[in-house]
Amino acid sequence: MLTPRFELSQTDTELAIIIHAPYANIKDAEVSVEGTDFRFFSTPYYLRLKLPGEIEENDSSSGSYNCESGTFSLKFSKVNKGEHFGNLDMITTLLAPPKKRSTIIPNIEVIGNPSADSADVAENLNDNVTADNDNSEEWFFPQNVPQTTENVSFLNPKYGFANKLSGALHAFEPAWIREIIDLPTPDTTPEEERKNLRKKRESEDFKEDHYMADLMEPECIEPYITHTAEWDTLQKDDITFTGEEVDLLKELPNKEFLLDAADIRGLSFALVDILYASCYNYRTTEGENTVESGWTVNKLSSTLCWFQNFTSMDEVVTACFRRSLCYPLFRNWRLSMKVLDDVKKVLSLGKFNLV
């Protein structure tokens, strides 16, 4: 079955769901609503959403199909009038299957599904997987842990999202790894040495001649500094996902991570670091990616190519500026400052919700 593209919007009393299903068989289309559970079926499409609030089908509900655009437009009443449904833009979260409720609450906090009830966080980790309460069929496949003789050490250096990985690059050739990241021997280099190794490499790679050339020939840099970026004119209410972006989001896996306050703080710093690299690429290509864009973003981000774990915002900004003056084609202090302004503008737009 195919998962169709969908969009959600709301008023104080209604939730509107637009489903793009151009090849749907209209005759067998079915819609089911029960509390926070919404289901749509029309061959070859199937959509099931876990909504952040309860809706109901009543006399004011409506539905229509546009043959030209291939879209179903559905409206349902909110059970609690005036309730605001948050995170309607969280595509993968809405697609997540409902969790089994339990009365046993472990002493851990799951940072994941923001649209689920707080009771959904309470899971019995010892229970076997069972079918939903509505007895709908679920498919499961046996999963066996492969036997290995390799010794696993909890003291191995960690990296990746929230430092949840170790030993993941051991099987790859060193020459291939060097093409992707600058950190030497990532599976054996202690985390506390990464920063010093990075700064040493940057000091060696800094080219005074290149920097002076960009400083003394500002006409080469000025068009990029004065370029009007997309976020320079955007307002919060203007932000929305394109159809292509929605298609990408609905295909992403929905994962949950056990994160404490320190993890979230570190991830926030990493986000700023990667965002700076992305904004630099956007500005120096004037919004048009090139074949070098992937390399630029990876090279400017200490998070991506050095697995750097930041502890302060000053540390993040310093690393971003150092790398922006060492590696990309354009190395100019004013340009680096302009990119920092870009990051501030992007963050000030905030996380948006469809309303």
Side-chain angles (χ1 to χ4, degrees), residues 6 87-96 241 246 249-250:
F6 62 94
N87 299 301
L88 292 183
D89 59 316
M90 301 292 287
I91 304 299
T92 55
T93 297
L94 294 170
L95 289 172
F241 286 129
V246 172
L249 288 171
K250 70 182 180 66

Side-chain angles (χ1 to χ4, degrees), residues 209-274:
D209 293 345
H210 193 141
Y211 179 79
M212 290 301 297
D214 286 354
L215 177 65
M216 303 307 295
E217 298 178 359
E219 63 276 6
C220 298
I221 305 294
E222 199 64 30
Y224 305 109
I225 295 178
T226 59
H227 174 71
T228 301
E230 183 179 6
W231 44 78
D232 287 329
T233 57
L234 272 178
Q235 302 295 325
K236 286 186 179 181
D237 295 339
D238 299 331
I239 305 175
T240 185
F241 286 129
T242 65
E244 292 76 11
E245 291 169 338
V246 172
D247 286 336
L248 288 174
L249 288 171
K250 70 182 180 66
E251 298 301 328
L252 291 176
N254 185 61
K255 296 183 178 180
E256 289 185 346
F257 297 89
L258 301 179
L259 305 176
D260 57 24
D263 291 331
I264 296 174
R265 180 179 174 84
L267 288 172
S268 299
F269 291 146
L271 176 62
V272 174
D273 175 59
I274 297 173

Side-chain angles (χ1 to χ4, degrees), residues 5 10 12 22 69 77 98 111 163 211 270 272 290 303 312 334 340:
R5 185 197 309 165
Q10 64 180 317
D12 289 340
S69 61
S77 298
I111 306 298
N163 283 334
Y211 179 79
V272 174
T290 69
T303 300
S312 70
R334 290 177 56 225
L340 181 60

Side-chain angles (χ1 to χ4, degrees), residues 289-345:
N289 286 329
T290 69
V291 293
E292 297 292 335
S293 292
W295 179 91
T296 300
V297 173
N298 181 72
K299 196 72 173 181
L300 291 189
S301 170
S302 302
T303 300
L304 298 179
C305 70
W306 275 94
F307 299 158
Q308 176 76 55
N309 294 315
F310 295 106
T311 58
S312 70
M313 189 57 68
D314 287 342
E315 195 176 41
V316 176
V317 175
T318 300
C320 291
F321 271 55
R322 286 173 64 93
R323 300 191 71 77
S324 69
L325 299 177
C326 287
Y327 298 109
L329 178 60
F330 304 109
R331 308 174 189 179
N332 182 274
W333 180 266
R334 290 177 56 225
L335 177 60
S336 298
M337 289 292 294
K338 186 63 177 178
V339 174
L340 181 60
D341 289 338
D342 290 337
V343 174
K344 294 177 182 178
K345 290 179 180 179

Side-chain angles (χ1 to χ4, degrees), residues 119-167:
D120 287 334
V121 177
E123 292 188 85
N124 186 346
L125 301 181
N126 296 319
D127 281 355
N128 293 325
V129 179
T130 59
D132 284 345
N133 293 332
D134 57 2
N135 295 322
S136 62
E137 292 185 0
E138 299 286 348
W139 291 84
F140 298 99
F141 296 91
Q143 302 179 89
N144 298 317
V145 179
Q147 299 297 322
T148 177
T149 59
E150 182 179 355
N151 293 326
V152 179
S153 173
F154 291 102
L155 300 179
N156 287 341
K158 300 290 197 302
Y159 46 79
F161 184 83
N163 283 334
K164 300 299 183 184
L165 298 177
S166 65

